[in-house]
Amino acid sequence: MSIASNRIKEFESMLQADLIKLEHLQTLCFNGIPDERGLRPLCWKLLLSYLPLDVASRVGTLKTKRTLYKQFIDEIIVSPGGENDHPLNVSPDSSWSTYFKDNEVLLQIDKDVRRLCPDISFFQTATEFPCDQVVNSSGVKRLHKRVEHSALFYSDVERKGLGPFKISRERGGYSSNGSYESMSEGNEAHWEVVERILFIYAKLNPGQGYVQGMNEIVGPIYHTFATDPDIAYREYAEADCFFCFTNLMSEIRDFFIKSLDESEGGVNHLIQKFDQAIRLHDSNVWARLVELDLKPQYYSFRWLTLLLSQEFPLPDVERIWDSLFSDCNRFQFLIHVCCAMVVLVKEHIMDGDFASNVKLLQNYPPIDVTKILQTAVNLSNSI
């Protein structure tokens, strides 16, 4: 029996237990989850605390959560209006006032989801399980219809709290040609589903709302669930993704709130820990970066806040996330991965000037992700 077959068998044996041991699950998943047999979507649901480790509770949990999400769609995606209410009503209690305010957020979401992973066709294709409540509503509940009158320019947008994000990749990754089209009545593309997930999340979390970059967090989760070979799970990819995304955001939400940048859970604190890790593991490359005045904020901001989702092709991102979600000290291992990325291009950094090194680190070169992860493990073990 091959090594791959043995690993699959080990995963299946672990997942068939009446009560899954979290430490065992984390240990197996940390070293990578096999792509076969729907193991990754199931493990991610467990690692993100969506599914209970107790198998007996699983069916009830899924039924409750999926019913709740259907209720969110019914109650949150509504049309304005009503007795004595009209579009010119300036009252803050007016449903029209809320509708127009929501559309400002929706416009940003719409721009962002239309450029999700354009290097693959997945998000542009039709889902096999369109939401009946939405696609058969004569356009009333189609979110993109609410903002299609606005000019949708597919270019970099700076969002307060997260700074500029890279939208194009040199190696053919991202193009900004606005080619994502909406589907006809009765159908919807995967990007439309992601748009709905983000809009509902923003409405349910008004203190945070939507911040540019969240689309890059939800994208890999949704892709993993929507390609599950188990049709019984694949049918509910949207609802399951929503709750897993919500759970993940509860852990990293401080990265997306500018007022918390300097807090212990804020992004600046994380960047400082990353900078200290480089100094600890390779003082020479750290000194070179200091000499060039190449601050970690110039490149690691996006690495850390978006969990490296924009630095690598989607399959590599999913492999990295196997380890990140399995890290019981989240997100300590993320710092080691980012540190490994710097160490692995040390020779280029030592020889390069400021401009060439900024370009190098903001457009990280293709490197075997397995090598990056192993280097990260070695760095973490050397402490």
Side-chain angles (χ1 to χ4, degrees), residues 60 64 128 182 300 314 330 351 380:
T64 299
E128 61 187 310
S182 57
S300 68
L314 185 56
R330 294 207 285 252
D351 294 338
S380 64

Side-chain angles (χ1 to χ4, degrees), residues 90-346:
V90 295
S91 169
D93 297 328
S94 167
S95 62
W96 279 101
S97 177
T98 301
Y99 181 81
F100 292 135
K101 186 176 180 179
D102 287 346
N103 280 359
E104 295 177 11
V105 176
L106 184 55
L107 178 60
Q108 181 65 58
I109 295 175
D110 194 81
K111 288 178 180 179
D112 291 345
V113 298
R114 287 178 187 252
R115 56 191 175 208
L116 257 178
C117 299
D119 49 326
I120 62 173
S121 61
F122 172 78
F123 287 99
Q124 303 171 48
T125 59
T127 171
E128 61 187 310
F129 299 107
C131 179
D132 290 336
Q133 304 149 269
V134 173
V135 298
N136 296 312
S137 64
S138 299
V140 174
K141 286 183 174 284
R142 300 293 280 266
L143 292 175
H144 65 85
K145 292 281 188 181
R146 291 169 52 166
V147 294
E148 66 180 5
H149 64 279
S150 303
L152 300 179
F153 295 109
Y154 303 91
S155 58
D156 272 352
V157 179
E158 185 168 335
R159 185 76 175 176
K160 289 183 179 178
L162 279 184
F165 280 95
K166 177 179 63 178
I167 301 304
S168 60
R169 288 177 178 168
E170 287 191 354
R171 55 178 177 269
Y174 278 53
S175 61
S176 304
N177 56 15
S179 61
Y180 285 35
E181 301 293 338
S182 57
M183 296 285 173
S184 59
E185 187 77 2
N187 299 288
E188 61 180 343
H190 288 293
W191 68 262
E192 296 181 72
V193 179
V194 175
E195 180 174 45
R196 184 162 56 246
I197 291 172
L198 290 170
F199 180 72
I200 292 175
Y201 176 83
K203 288 288 290 180
L204 291 174
N205 295 271
Q208 179 185 33
Y210 174 77
V211 180
Q212 187 187 18
M214 290 181 181
N215 58 308
E216 303 291 347
I217 299 295
V218 75
I221 300 175
Y222 177 75
H223 174 265
T224 297
F225 293 176
T227 56
D228 193 326
D230 187 338
I231 192 172
Y233 275 108
R234 194 165 71 245
E235 181 177 358
Y236 295 98
E238 178 179 352
D240 294 347
C241 175
F242 171 82
F243 289 107
C244 285
F245 170 69
T246 298
N247 288 352
L248 178 57
M249 284 304 304
S250 71
E251 298 185 48
I252 64 174
R253 66 186 301 272
D254 289 0
F255 300 170
F256 292 83
I257 301 177
K258 187 174 179 59
S259 61
L260 298 178
D261 280 356
E262 304 301 330
S263 69
E264 185 173 346
V267 65
N268 286 342
H269 180 73
L270 197 63
I271 290 174
Q272 290 173 9
K273 291 176 66 175
F274 165 63
D275 188 47
Q276 292 167 3
I278 298 177
R279 185 176 187 178
L280 173 65
H281 293 301
D282 197 317
S283 57
N284 291 331
V285 74
W286 179 84
R288 177 58 177 163
L289 292 170
V290 171
E291 178 186 0
L292 294 172
D293 198 27
L294 206 171
K295 302 182 187 303
Q297 288 88 341
Y298 297 162
Y299 60 93
S300 68
F301 187 89
R302 189 179 66 236
W303 291 7
L304 294 166
T305 55
L306 300 186
L307 309 183
L308 298 169
S309 60
Q310 279 200 324
E311 313 314 315
F312 301 97
L314 185 56
D316 287 349
V317 171
E318 292 173 345
R319 169 60 192 93
I320 292 170
W321 284 15
D322 290 345
S323 296
L324 296 186
F325 294 165
S326 305
D327 179 13
C328 59
N329 297 314
R330 294 207 285 252
F331 285 87
Q332 184 62 39
F333 189 65
L334 173 63
I335 293 175
H336 292 307
V337 175
C338 294
C339 191
M341 290 168 63
V342 173
V343 171
L344 286 172
V345 294
K346 175 181 178 178

